[in-house]
Amino acid sequence: MQDELFEKSIETLELPKVLEQLAGQAVTEEGKARALALRPFTDADDVSRALDETTAAVELVSLRGTPSFSGVRPVAASLQRADMGGALNTRELLDIAAVLRCARGAMEYASGSEKKTPIDPLFRGLTANRFLEEKITGSILSEDEIADAASPELADIRRHKRATAGKVRDILQRLISSNQSKYLQEPIITQRNGRYVVPVKSECKNDVPGLVHDVSASGSSFFIEPMGVVKANNELRELEAREKKEIERILAELSAECAAHREDIRQDYDFLILLDGVFARAGLSLRMQGMPPQIVERGILFQKARHPLLNRDTAVANDLRLGEEFDTLVVTGPNTGGKTVTLKTLGLLVLMAQCGLHIPASGESRMPVFRRVLADIGDEQSIAQNLSTFSSHMVNIVGILREADEKSLVLFDELGAGTDPVEGAALAAAVIEETRSLGSLVAATTHYAELKVYAMTTPGVENASCEFDVETLAPTYKLLIGVPGKSNAFAISRRLGLPGHVIDAAGARVSAENVRFEDVLTQLDRQRQEMEREKSAAAQLRRETEEYRRQAREYRDGLEKERAKAVEKANAEARAILDEARQAADDTFRELDEMKKRRKEEEDWQRVNEARAGLRRKLNEAEDRLGSAPRGPELPPTRPAGRGDTVELVKMGGTRATVLEVKKDGTLRLQAGILKLTARQDEVRVTEGETQQSVKKVVERAAHQLRSLGASPEVDLRGLTGDEAVVELDRFLDNAVMGKLQQVTIIHGKGTGAVRRAVREHLKRSPYIRTFRPGRYGEGEDGVTVAELK
């Protein structure tokens, strides 16, 4: 009885129609049959696994399409016969090859994914046999044709067969072309009983010696095998017999190989059917744009749920809740308002999810797993069983109360209808209470006002209604949870043209309590509509606010990016100026080196070295301050700079310079230490009453000291021989030691490398040298050697 009632509910909720759509997505015949026979799982782990498999298949289909399952047919019976020693026919062998081909294709399909999925075990269960697959397809071209390459013996037989047949045709062709052609009915070559013959006129049958194999229906033609081709025809028949025997041997050999791998082939077939079912579920999900619900312990929440059998473009999406704040939902409202569709949607989505199918609802949906879904929906009066509408409903209700438990979802449509309204309402409330006491979740539709009051006054029971537009006399199919519905019978009747005095007379018959109750419902509905409008306005305001926030965030990010670009650009320009300053300083050093050579005997080597190091240290410190100094506040503009003014270079961190000249285009020619620069008015700030300092003073002081002092930190040995270079190197190292230099640079060039080798061999032996190395990039690389003195 339990299975019958559950199956009846499945039929009532129209799950088989959904399964027909699922079968349409399957490729194999057995996959289609299994889809139609699919029934809901009742274990939460099984439901979660099936939903995860469907989700994984949807992701794979979206990335790489669907694997091919075409050509997969049942092979179990063929494999069993082959295992018993039977020879399979060409069709059966080709079916086995198709299974192997699809298994190989599915394995290649799965190998392209590095991400682990719940359907990986199905792919790993496949064991393709490419050797056997290609042996079958290479031997059998079609159901009616075996390839010559199936075996060397078959190829040899067919070669002789073609040669013999050609010989027979040549003999008969000569007969047709000779003077004996006058005896022929037609100058053609044909076959009878597998032997080549010619059609001879009946009156001339004795003129062509040979064997008669057939006579035409009219008796006018005798099909005679001339004696000249009898031997060749005999040979041809022998070759055909050998060919048939060889084909039978080939098929038997292929069958034996299939029998040897029967377990793997049977397993491949089973896993391919399972995969076909999983990808069929994925195809149905993509078709109806479904999502997997989350499986929870208790409480149904289907957000933006649509009935899967309705047109998705016109079906109204509703939020369905049951089992969290309340365990019973009483849906009221006028006929054709969508109450029954709401009930069916709730039950059908539960059944679909428990079959492992995605449901047409949002991804935030959730539900528990039910042991059974029991539904009493529709008019099931039976004349044969002498049952009225009320009686048939009551039979279903009795069965439901017998089977319902805490793992059941129970759906009642028009509960208590078909009998006296007072008794029907009381009976309906009692049935709902009994079902609740069993622990089941309940959803029921009704017209009874008493049940509306029952839902409003009973904890755990909630009213709901399907909205109805009285002005247009059309339902909106929108479910309103928490709001009881009105029958709207008087309003609908008035709109349809029923005379007013009839409606007034009917109203007079309605009790005062019912009138007040309907007035309360009207007021509640008016307040609900006002709240809906305010909610919509608030949602619109929230969306606009979010948009403004997004725009402000993008604007702020844009400003940050522009600021970063400006800072980077300024730093780059400042570095370029420092590079120019460093180059100018190096030029000055070279000039001072020349002066040092002329005053070598009078110079103080230590002072020159210290001055040189000090100047480089100041330049390096200036460069470090450029990269690390924080960006100061924006300063107000000053008056335009004129000739002789002291100005600060904004992009160089406030470096001072003197204006040498104001050009016609407004640009300034500046003197910053030893550097001469060009800048725009907006790139400088005038400093009133201040003198020049910084780089110029340092360089001038260094230049003054280096003109009177200096021990050269480098020596140029290019153009000398190895021996000359060693002598000059000794003299240079003596001076460097006397000048207390820490590091020296020896320029020897690249050339043939002779001078470089002589210099470095000498440095290894020199008592003055602690260590030495080749020059780095920017120092001259392998054309110089940098040595550190002790």
Side-chain angles (χ1 to χ4, degrees):
M1 179 62 184
Q2 172 184 342
D3 292 339
E4 292 179 3
L5 193 56
F6 192 15
E7 278 295 326
K8 185 177 180 181
S9 298
I10 288 175
E11 291 286 341
T12 300
L13 294 172
E14 301 180 290
L15 178 63
K17 292 185 179 180
V18 176
L19 297 182
E20 288 178 4
Q21 296 184 5
L22 177 63
Q25 298 293 323
V27 177
T28 64
E29 290 301 320
E30 185 164 346
K32 293 178 184 294
R34 291 190 183 187
L36 294 173
L38 185 62
R39 287 298 178 266
F41 299 106
T42 56
D43 182 78
D45 292 337
D46 292 336
V47 174
S48 297
R49 174 187 52 77
L51 288 173
D52 290 343
E53 288 176 349
T54 305
T55 301
V58 168
E59 294 176 356
L60 288 174
V61 170
S62 301
L63 292 174
R64 299 198 295 276
T66 306
S68 174
F69 302 106
S70 61
V72 176
R73 295 184 178 87
V75 294
S78 301
L79 292 172
Q80 184 176 3
R81 194 167 74 256
D83 188 41
M84 296 172 64
L88 305 182
N89 59 38
T90 55
R91 178 69 271 165
E92 292 172 313
L93 289 169
L94 288 175
D95 287 345
I96 291 174
V99 170
L100 295 174
R101 184 189 69 250
C102 289
R104 178 169 55 85
M107 292 175 66
E108 293 173 354
Y109 175 91
S111 65
S113 176
E114 297 180 356
K115 180 181 177 182
K116 293 184 178 180
T117 69
I119 57 176
D120 286 347
L122 299 181
F123 286 113
R124 287 197 297 267
L126 299 171
T127 53
N129 188 334
R130 187 164 189 166
F131 174 78
L132 180 56
E133 172 201 341
E134 293 181 347
K135 187 172 183 179
I136 294 174
T137 54
S139 301
I140 305 174
L141 300 180
S142 68
E143 290 187 45
D144 304 318
E145 185 178 2
I146 304 295
D148 291 356
S151 74
E153 178 67 17
L154 182 62
D156 184 65
I157 291 172
R158 287 185 171 174
R159 185 170 61 253
H160 284 84
K161 183 179 173 183
R162 286 190 291 270
T164 303
K167 179 180 177 182
V168 171
R169 284 193 297 269
D170 289 342
I171 295 172
L172 293 178
Q173 190 63 44
R174 287 196 298 270
L175 174 64
I176 292 173
S177 303
S178 68
N179 57 4
Q180 288 185 312
S181 61
K182 60 186 178 182
Y183 304 131
L184 303 181
Q185 191 74 31
E186 291 181 83
I188 61 172
I189 301 171
T190 184
Q191 280 188 322
R192 287 294 186 273
N193 300 321
R195 302 179 74 89
Y196 286 98
V197 297
V198 291
V200 179
K201 297 175 183 178
S202 58
E203 63 272 17
C204 302
K205 63 180 182 297
N206 295 324
D207 296 322
V208 179
L211 304 177
V212 177
H213 286 279
D214 198 6
V215 181
S216 65
S218 62
S220 61
S221 298
F222 281 70
F223 294 94
I224 298 176
E225 178 186 5
M227 294 304 297
V229 297
V230 170
K231 182 178 179 181
N233 267 332
N234 289 341
E235 183 180 353
L236 191 59
R237 293 298 295 272
E238 291 175 3
L239 290 171
E240 290 174 349
R242 287 177 57 194
E243 178 187 29
K244 181 179 179 181
K245 185 176 181 180
E246 178 63 15
I247 289 175
E248 291 174 351
R249 188 197 65 79
I250 292 170
L251 295 179
E253 180 182 335
L254 293 174
S255 300
E257 291 201 35
C258 291
H261 298 89
R262 63 187 181 282
E263 292 301 329
D264 289 342
I265 298 171
R266 186 180 294 115
Q267 181 175 283
D268 283 346
Y269 174 79
D270 292 339
F271 279 112
L272 287 173
I273 295 301
L274 292 175
L275 285 169
D276 186 25
V278 171
F279 281 93
R281 300 203 301 266
L284 183 62
S285 173
L286 292 171
R287 177 181 174 182
M288 64 174 54
Q289 297 183 0
M291 296 292 291
Q294 180 184 355
I295 301 302
V296 295
E297 288 295 327
R298 186 172 178 85
I300 298 174
L301 174 60
F302 292 147
Q303 293 187 338
K304 298 180 180 178
R306 294 177 284 104
H307 195 286
L309 299 178
L310 298 178
N311 188 331
R312 64 175 307 275
D313 295 327
T314 58
V316 177
N318 281 304
D319 293 343
L320 306 178
R321 306 196 313 272
L322 180 62
E324 294 181 346
E325 302 96 338
F326 48 87
D327 58 31
T328 301
L329 188 66
V330 177
V331 185
T332 54
N335 289 328
T336 72
K339 300 190 302 299
T340 302
V341 172
T342 299
L343 216 59
K344 286 189 172 183
T345 301
L346 179 62
L348 182 54
L349 295 191
V350 168
L351 293 176
M352 288 178 60
Q354 291 189 201
C355 287
L357 302 176
H358 287 181
I359 60 175
S362 71
E364 292 77 20
S365 300
R366 56 183 180 269
M367 56 164 278
V369 174
F370 297 96
R371 187 175 295 115
R372 59 182 68 83
V373 178
L374 304 174
D376 175 45
I377 299 176
D379 184 0
E380 298 184 3
Q381 62 179 340
S382 172
I383 297 176
Q385 298 180 13
N386 195 24
L387 294 177
S388 65
T389 300
F390 177 77
S391 299
S392 63
H393 278 294
M394 195 51 59
V395 169
N396 289 338
I397 291 171
V398 170
I400 288 173
L401 293 179
R402 186 181 299 118
E403 303 297 339
D405 58 17
E406 71 279 358
K407 286 290 187 179
S408 299
L409 172 64
V410 179
L411 308 174
F412 294 120
D413 186 31
E414 298 295 347
L415 184 59
T419 187
D420 178 75
V422 176
E423 294 180 352
L427 191 60
V431 169
I432 290 176
E433 278 298 310
E434 176 65 18
T435 311
R436 293 182 65 205
S437 70
L438 297 173
S440 303
L441 298 185
V442 182
T445 66
T446 183
H447 282 287
Y448 294 138
E450 290 83 355
L451 287 184
K452 302 176 188 178
V453 177
Y454 164 76
M456 295 176 67
T457 58
T458 305
V461 183
E462 186 62 84
N463 266 306
S465 61
C466 290
E467 193 176 52
F468 192 89
D469 191 340
V470 179
E471 296 298 323
T472 61
L473 297 181
T476 64
Y477 302 109
K478 184 177 181 181
L479 183 69
L480 307 173
I481 295 179
V483 180
K486 295 179 59 179
S487 64
N488 294 309
F490 290 168
I492 294 174
S493 300
R494 190 182 303 277
R495 291 281 296 172
L496 292 176
L498 188 66
H501 67 277
V502 177
I503 296 175
D504 293 339
R509 295 177 178 271
V510 179
S511 66
E513 289 79 5
N514 286 339
V515 171
R516 286 195 297 271
F517 183 69
E518 290 293 326
D519 290 342
V520 170
L521 292 183
T522 301
Q523 183 178 0
L524 287 174
D525 188 59
R526 188 181 302 113
Q527 292 176 353
R528 178 193 62 77
Q529 293 178 5
E530 181 64 28
M531 291 175 63
E532 288 288 340
R533 286 193 291 270
E534 292 179 358
K535 180 180 178 182
S536 177
Q540 178 63 25
L541 181 61
R542 184 172 65 253
R543 287 193 294 271
E544 292 177 356
T545 302
E546 291 294 332
E547 179 63 21
Y548 291 147
R549 288 180 60 188
R550 185 188 63 78
Q551 293 178 358
R553 186 164 53 250
E554 291 179 355
Y555 181 69
R556 182 190 62 198
D557 293 343
L559 288 179
E560 289 294 332
K561 291 179 180 179
E562 291 298 326
R563 178 180 177 278
K565 289 181 181 179
V567 171
E568 181 63 26
K569 181 179 179 182
N571 287 340
E573 292 178 355
R575 289 191 188 95
I577 294 173
L578 280 176
D579 289 341
E580 292 180 4
R582 189 180 297 277
Q583 183 63 39
D586 289 341
D587 293 342
T588 302
F589 292 148
R590 283 193 292 272
E591 180 182 350
L592 293 176
D593 287 341
E594 293 295 329
M595 297 172 61
K596 178 267 301 178
K597 291 179 181 179
R598 294 192 297 270
R599 304 181 57 187
K600 191 176 295 183
E601 296 179 358
E602 301 175 3
E603 293 172 343
D604 183 353
W605 312 114
Q606 181 63 31
R607 290 177 58 196
V608 173
N609 186 56
E610 291 176 351
R612 183 186 186 97
L615 181 56
R616 285 191 176 276
R617 184 172 62 254
K618 289 181 180 294
L619 288 173
N620 289 334
E621 290 174 353
E623 184 175 9
D624 292 340
R625 288 195 301 273
L626 171 65
S628 61
R631 185 179 178 89
E634 296 291 337
L635 299 176
T638 61
R639 66 175 175 81
R643 182 174 181 181
D645 286 338
T646 299
V647 297
E648 291 181 347
L649 293 168
V650 176
K651 292 186 178 180
M652 292 183 63
T655 300
R656 302 294 180 89
T658 302
V659 180
L660 301 179
E661 178 186 359
V662 180
K663 297 184 179 180
K664 293 181 180 180
D665 59 0
T667 58
L668 307 175
R669 181 175 173 79
L670 307 177
Q671 179 79 38
I674 64 172
L675 304 177
K676 290 185 179 180
L677 311 171
T678 301
R680 302 191 305 272
Q681 288 282 2
D682 58 356
E683 294 178 336
V684 303
R685 297 184 71 260
V686 178
T687 58
E688 304 293 344
E690 297 184 7
T691 61
Q692 300 182 31
Q693 56 182 7
S694 187
V695 179
K696 180 177 179 180
K697 291 182 178 181
V698 173
V699 175
E700 288 180 349
R701 184 163 56 251
H704 175 74
Q705 294 170 351
L706 293 176
R707 285 189 175 91
S708 59
L709 306 171
S712 175
E714 63 183 26
V715 62
D716 190 349
L717 304 179
R718 289 176 294 184
L720 303 179
T721 64
D723 295 335
E724 292 172 344
V726 169
V727 173
E728 184 63 28
L729 178 59
D730 277 336
R731 186 182 302 112
F732 167 73
L733 292 177
D734 290 340
N735 292 334
V737 171
M738 292 176 63
K740 298 183 179 180
L741 298 182
Q742 300 293 325
Q743 180 176 292
V744 295
T745 301
I746 303 160
I747 303 172
H748 45 64
K750 298 180 180 178
T752 61
V755 176
R756 178 177 68 244
R757 287 191 295 273
V759 167
R760 293 180 180 175
E761 287 295 327
H762 188 69
L763 291 176
K764 291 179 182 179
R765 299 188 297 271
S766 174
Y768 301 139
I769 303 302
R770 175 179 289 112
T771 182
F772 64 92
R773 60 173 176 81
R776 298 192 182 98
Y777 178 77
E779 295 178 335
E781 300 177 352
D782 208 35
V784 304
T785 297
V786 179
E788 183 179 353
L789 301 180
K790 293 182 179 178

